[in-house]
Amino acid sequence: MVIGQELLSCHLTLAYIGPGAGFAFLGSFFILDLALLLSFVSIISLPFRFVFALFRRRRISGPGLVRRAVVVGMDGLDPARVRKLMAAGELPNFSRLAEQGTFSELETTCPPISPVAWSSFATGANPGKHGIFDFLNRDLRTYIPELSSCRIDRKGIQLLRRSTPFWKILGDHGIFSTILRVPVTFPPDRFRGLMLSAMCVPDLRGTQGTYTLYEENGVSRTRDGGMRIPVTFDSAGKCTTFLPGPPAGGWGDALQVRVRIKVDREKASAVVRLGAERVSLVQGEYSDWIPVGFRRGLRKAHGVCRLLLVSVKPTVRLYLTPINLDPEHPDLPISHPDYYAIYLAKLHGTFATLGLAEDTAALNDGVIDDAAFLRQAWDIQHTREDTFFDALKRTRSGVCAIVFDLPDRVQHMFYRYVREGLSSTGAEDPASVRAIDDVYSGMDSLLGRVMKELGPESALFVMSDHGFTDFSRAVNINVWLEQEGYLVRKANAAGAAYLADVDWEKTTAYSFGLSGIYLNLRGRESRGIVQPGSENEALKKEIIAKLSILRDPAGDKAAIRKIYESSKTYSGPYSEDGPDLIVGYESGYRVSWDSAKGSLGTDLFVDNNHCWSGDHCIDRDLVPGVLFSNRKMNLSGRRPAIIDIAPTILSLFGIATPDYMDGKALGVEKESAGN
């Protein structure tokens, strides 16, 4: 039994753009062969690269202030909520750190989107220099959106982030770094240190996360972020089905393994045989990580997943997480050196490797409930803490940095409980209501453990890339562009995504992604009609003037706070690769799911009724991040920015800020506070 073209037809489903969808770019089994070959070459060349590194190593350019710098990234930690919980006495370690050292808001990027912000953190540069403007970019020939951070094709795997991250500069000066799960590090950098990749690492199917649901008497369906497979049980409670894996290649079908399920409805349990593995399940409890292999001839693709028996009555529903790359047998490069992921798996056990591992799509689709999502997210968090503290003990000098995703994922999915009087279930579950505050408390406990591990020779920075707010109303920018005559749809438009319905011969502006508007510029887009120069500038000013006054008829509220021109916001060689205009929404608003995927739609404003109910893709001034440090900082009356972190870390080791960096080193005292 095969799934044919159905799985491959969703090769442009989106990850963060939609509520947890996938973005398939693993074109065929050939890519796994190529990655394996590259890993083998990397391993056998290790001794030669080590000798070469000894000869090319340079010395530090000046006296250093610290022996070690520790950076703890907490994605999405919001300064307003931090202050509120600190005032209530619920964050004692953050309060102590603020009193002894420094606490400040941290200016984020434009737009305040995770891959953009963390790329600026790594490089100390604005998006015009590192080239990451959104989760997506577009192919100028076809107008088809593509992942902005990396490209996988028959030529290999390429990281599309430009500029040089601070850890490579440190390595060039002989300073070792351990960099764990910083976004936009897939494939991993080659430098003097260790790295585990994060955001944009695909699953084994080549998407950014596609779950599988086996549903008794269900309907076969593949959609953004998930695949539903109907099953039928015999009188003994048995059924045989299949698990789709990576695309097989030129035939268009996916590789698959056999799945056999035997359910005991009275005991609310099941036994699942997944390939060669036998798994016993109790309703409501996750399995451990289960290895699953997909063969083509003599080659095998290695994955791991977890299973959850969601229900047995009235119907059986069995959920499988996205098939993560197996860290013990990584078929794509997810760490540097290549064996580092294997070492971590041997030390701590199998772990999630997917860039967006918390399955927001499954919760959004009602496949799992709040409690199941939280268990999954916290399990991932605890494993990453184990990895981090091991790295902290082993990185006695240099830099140890990690980014924890938990605050971001839980705030995205549980902000609906923050809205007064709103509950998605109609029954206020205390764990769901407190889910966000519990995460902040968990981050405080984590911080307390970190502080105990540090001595006076270590500088600590705790930071977030942006804050968070409510996402109640969605705006379809493409609908507005069509209403104003800037975008024209084809006569036979069928409601397709990815800009497929646009008549490019008549369209002057279009939108996709989380914040951008693009002009259909002649000489840049393949079918551009807007003349560069005065016509282009006049069109931008016209759109800004009209869109800036857009109001939501529900409550007569302003939906847009500010619109930025990229030519005035960005500088650098890649400035023209991003959107021409960046929309900064008011709090409570965000681009709609349809518009983000390049669908035209019909409604300009719609209620956002998804579980994905919190967001940060609005005006950057409304969602600053946070910065804590155990060192007093001389901020000279200014708010530090995320682009300042890289030059600050370099300065701690006596390295001058490179000319290409836009950030400025923050004045940091030599002595650590509170030690």
Side-chain angles (χ1 to χ4, degrees):
M1 185 175 184
V2 296
I3 60 172
Q5 296 290 339
E6 187 176 17
L7 173 62
L8 300 182
S9 68
C10 64
H11 71 286
L12 279 176
T13 50
L14 310 176
Y16 220 70
I17 298 298
F23 191 112
F25 55 169
L26 185 60
S28 74
F29 207 92
F30 171 81
I31 299 300
L32 298 180
D33 293 333
L34 179 63
L36 184 67
L37 175 62
L38 293 175
S39 296
F40 176 73
V41 171
S42 175
I43 291 173
I44 64 174
S45 65
L46 181 62
F48 304 99
R49 290 187 285 118
F50 177 76
V51 172
F52 177 72
L54 290 178
F55 281 101
R56 70 186 295 266
R57 187 180 302 171
R58 297 195 295 267
R59 293 196 174 275
I60 299 174
S61 57
L65 297 178
V66 300
R67 177 178 175 81
R68 179 174 63 171
V70 178
V71 182
V72 180
M74 300 180 178
D75 198 300
L77 210 70
D78 182 72
R81 185 170 294 271
V82 167
R83 290 191 182 96
K84 173 186 172 184
L85 294 175
M86 285 171 58
E90 295 191 37
L91 304 180
N93 293 305
F94 279 107
S95 296
R96 180 159 61 96
L97 192 57
E99 180 181 350
Q100 295 176 351
T102 299
F103 169 40
S104 172
E105 292 186 352
L106 189 68
E107 182 179 294
T108 185
T109 49
C110 181
I113 302 175
S114 293
V116 185
W118 288 115
S119 294
S120 289
F121 156 78
T123 64
N126 81 92
K129 293 179 180 177
H130 59 63
I132 305 296
F133 301 91
D134 201 314
F135 279 91
L136 300 178
N137 202 348
R138 83 281 192 215
D139 187 315
L140 293 173
R141 298 168 300 164
T142 64
Y143 296 88
I144 293 177
E146 57 187 11
L147 204 63
S148 66
S149 60
C150 61
R151 180 181 296 122
I152 301 181
D153 55 29
R154 290 184 174 270
K155 297 179 182 178
I157 308 172
Q158 180 184 5
L159 176 64
L160 300 181
R161 185 204 67 222
R162 311 301 183 187
S163 286
T164 304
F166 66 81
W167 47 82
K168 293 191 76 171
I169 299 172
L170 290 171
D172 287 343
H173 288 78
I175 299 169
F176 186 91
S177 300
T178 301
I179 308 297
L180 301 172
R181 294 199 57 82
V182 173
V184 195
T185 52
F186 174 76
D189 293 305
R190 304 295 172 180
F191 68 109
R192 186 171 188 266
L194 303 171
M195 173 172 282
L196 182 65
S197 297
M199 183 178 286
C200 299
V201 172
D203 62 18
L204 196 66
R205 290 168 173 155
T207 78
Q208 287 293 295
T210 302
Y211 65 79
T212 306
L213 178 69
Y214 298 103
E215 192 168 23
E216 186 177 12
N217 303 321
V219 177
S220 178
R221 183 174 62 178
T222 299
R223 55 174 295 173
D224 290 357
M227 184 186 309
R228 299 188 182 217
I229 299 175
V231 293
T232 302
F233 291 86
D234 62 19
S235 58
K238 297 179 180 180
C239 80
T240 299
T241 181
F242 68 102
L243 176 64
W251 300 278
D253 296 330
L255 300 174
Q256 56 188 250
V257 298
R258 185 168 64 171
V259 178
R260 289 169 290 178
I261 308 170
K262 186 180 187 307
V263 64
D264 187 329
R265 297 182 193 269
E266 297 307 315
K267 294 183 178 179
S269 63
V271 174
V272 179
R273 292 187 179 274
L274 182 59
E277 300 294 324
R278 183 182 185 276
V279 188
S280 296
L281 298 174
V282 176
Q283 182 174 311
E285 296 182 6
Y286 279 99
S287 72
D288 293 332
W289 286 102
I290 306 301
V292 55
F294 298 86
R295 287 192 177 276
R296 190 193 70 175
L298 298 178
R299 290 288 297 114
K300 183 178 181 181
H302 303 84
V304 292
C305 62
R306 298 181 74 189
L307 287 66
L308 175 69
L309 183 60
V310 178
S311 67
V312 295
K313 294 179 181 180
T315 59
V316 175
R317 302 175 81 230
L318 175 65
Y319 159 77
L320 274 73
T321 66
I323 308 170
N324 286 234
L325 298 169
D326 185 347
E328 288 197 55
H329 306 277
D331 291 302
L332 293 174
I334 59 173
S335 68
H336 169 73
D338 301 276
Y339 55 77
Y340 184 50
I342 301 171
Y343 159 79
L344 292 174
K346 295 293 186 183
L347 183 66
H348 301 294
T350 301
F351 56 88
T353 56
L354 182 62
L356 298 166
E358 301 84 357
D359 198 350
T360 58
L363 177 57
N364 225 64
D365 294 344
V367 170
I368 60 176
D369 61 14
D370 287 356
F373 178 84
L374 287 172
R375 285 199 301 275
Q376 182 188 101
W378 276 104
D379 285 349
I380 292 169
Q381 171 68 20
H382 293 148
T383 300
R384 291 177 182 168
E385 289 182 12
D386 291 343
T387 301
F388 171 62
F389 282 104
D390 173 71
L392 194 59
K393 290 177 181 178
R394 297 175 186 275
T395 311
R396 305 309 303 176
S397 63
V399 171
C400 185
I402 189 171
V403 174
F404 292 105
D405 299 322
L406 184 67
D408 178 84
R409 307 299 188 265
V410 172
Q411 287 179 109
H412 273 305
M413 306 309 294
F414 287 82
Y415 221 96
R416 62 194 191 275
Y417 292 102
V418 176
R419 301 176 194 163
E420 186 176 355
L422 178 63
S423 169
S424 66
T425 63
E428 295 291 343
D429 178 5
S432 296
V433 172
R434 274 202 54 88
I436 294 176
D437 285 354
D438 285 346
V439 166
Y440 278 66
S441 295
M443 294 298 103
D444 186 78
S445 297
L446 168 66
L447 174 59
R449 292 175 61 195
V450 173
M451 293 169 70
K452 289 179 181 178
E453 293 287 332
L454 303 184
E457 78 287 351
S458 295
L460 171 65
F461 301 94
V462 181
M463 55 170 291
S464 64
D465 53 336
H466 51 68
F468 245 89
T469 190
D470 177 47
F471 170 27
S472 297
R473 294 278 282 172
V475 186
N476 192 319
I477 293 295
N478 279 321
V479 168
W480 183 86
L481 290 170
E482 184 179 21
Q483 290 176 352
E484 297 295 326
Y486 301 114
L487 185 150
V488 178
R489 71 175 73 197
K490 297 175 182 176
N492 60 345
Y498 316 119
L499 306 171
D501 287 338
V502 175
D503 185 341
W504 297 110
E505 312 304 325
K506 301 176 182 178
T507 292
T508 57
Y510 60 99
S511 177
F512 73 90
L514 291 166
S515 65
I517 295 176
Y518 301 80
L519 303 189
N520 194 21
L521 197 62
R522 186 184 302 275
R524 186 180 67 181
E525 275 82 352
S526 61
R527 286 176 280 174
I529 63 173
V530 178
Q531 196 67 31
S534 59
E535 182 181 345
N536 171 47
E537 294 302 318
L539 180 59
K540 286 193 291 186
K541 287 181 172 56
E542 182 177 303
I543 292 175
I544 290 173
K546 291 182 178 181
L547 188 57
S548 295
I549 60 175
L550 178 66
R551 300 189 72 81
D552 182 359
D556 190 30
K557 298 178 181 178
I560 310 295
R561 187 172 188 270
K562 187 174 181 180
I563 300 172
Y564 300 83
E565 289 188 63
S566 62
S567 60
K568 298 178 181 178
T569 304
Y570 304 136
S571 62
Y574 307 107
S575 297
E576 296 183 1
D577 294 345
D580 296 290
L581 301 173
I582 303 98
V583 181
Y585 295 92
E586 288 284 2
S587 183
Y589 293 86
R590 202 208 74 174
V591 69
S592 72
W593 304 114
D594 283 343
S595 189
K597 294 187 289 187
S599 296
L600 304 189
T602 56
D603 298 319
L604 177 54
F605 288 96
V606 295
D607 287 332
N608 173 38
N609 295 318
H610 292 93
C611 291
W612 185 297
S613 49
D615 221 291
H616 47 83
C617 303
I618 63 173
D619 186 72
R620 65 178 179 182
D621 291 337
L622 299 177
V623 282
V626 300
L627 176 64
F628 287 85
S629 179
N630 63 347
R631 305 294 177 103
K632 295 287 186 182
M633 292 185 181
N634 179 12
L635 301 179
S636 302
R638 70 182 181 97
R639 183 166 73 178
I642 197 166
I643 57 174
D644 297 329
I645 303 301
T648 299
I649 292 173
L650 293 179
S651 70
L652 292 176
F653 293 94
I655 302 172
T657 301
D659 291 340
Y660 73 85
M661 287 189 175
D662 300 303
K664 306 298 181 185
L666 302 171
V668 179
E669 289 188 0
K670 184 174 182 179
E671 295 300 322
S672 176
N675 288 296

